[in-house]
Amino acid sequence: MSEQFTPIPNEFLERIIRMNLTGSQFRILLVVLRKTKGWNKKSDWIAGSQIKKMTDMRQDYCYKMISSLVAGGVLIKEGGKLSINENLRPKKLAPLNPTKKTDEFYMKELEERGTARFCTLYGEEKLAEFINRIEL
């Protein structure tokens, strides 16, 4: 392992720990931390394609997660640049998707991504719940 690192203030980490972030939101946050703090920058132009490559998430889903983090006050987006809100105060973020996804959506995701990737994105519980529902 190399000697390079991304400096993250302890106080900021403690704030993040108390937040109700999803795994995907947390991964996006880590990318923004890496691309900003990891290069000693306050903010940076971070393309959706970069985030997609680093997280292995669909690009449209990356944008959805970024929007949720901006709306929740975790990230700041100014003129296309992303930065970390260093005045972050722990709070519960708004639901990511207020509409219920259909079985057709999950079936398509499962077919396109396979079981392992589906579990990474939605969780094993969601897979079991979905399989139980379609077997009935």
Side-chain angles (χ1 to χ4, degrees):
M1 197 173 283
S2 76
E3 297 295 321
Q4 298 174 344
F5 61 92
T6 300
I8 305 170
N10 289 337
E11 184 180 343
F12 182 77
L13 280 176
E14 290 165 8
R15 290 177 188 166
I16 292 171
I17 290 167
R18 292 191 304 267
M19 294 194 71
N20 187 24
L21 298 175
T22 67
S24 297
Q25 288 172 321
F26 186 70
R27 289 165 57 200
I28 297 288
L29 178 59
L30 288 177
V31 169
V32 176
L33 279 165
R34 173 69 183 99
K35 293 292 189 175
T36 56
K37 299 288 187 191
W39 290 98
N40 295 316
K41 297 178 182 179
K42 287 290 250 178
S43 64
D44 195 13
W45 300 89
I46 307 171
S49 59
Q50 282 183 301
I51 296 172
K52 174 187 180 216
K53 185 176 180 179
M54 291 178 77
T55 62
D56 197 29
M57 287 190 252
R58 287 189 334 258
Q59 194 162 330
D60 62 323
Y61 191 67
C62 291
Y63 289 126
K64 185 177 182 178
M65 294 297 101
I66 291 167
S67 294
S68 72
L69 290 166
V70 169
V74 178
L75 297 179
I76 298 170
K77 188 172 184 179
E78 293 179 318
K81 285 187 168 187
L82 287 173
S83 62
I84 302 296
N85 180 1
E86 295 182 10
N87 298 315
L88 179 66
R89 296 289 173 249
K91 63 180 177 179
K92 185 172 179 163
L93 298 182
L96 297 176
N97 189 359
T99 60
K100 187 173 174 85
K101 291 184 176 150
T102 64
D103 285 347
E104 292 81 25
F105 171 84
Y106 287 121
M107 181 61 81
K108 183 178 176 191
E109 288 287 286
L110 190 56
E111 288 171 355
E112 288 179 4
R113 299 182 184 288
T115 305
R117 187 72 187 121
F118 184 95
C119 288
T120 299
L121 290 171
Y122 305 106
E124 290 179 16
E125 296 85 20
K126 181 58 76 179
L127 177 64
E129 174 190 314
F130 173 66
I131 289 173
N132 286 334
R133 220 176 23 252
I134 62 172
E135 287 181 347
L136 295 177

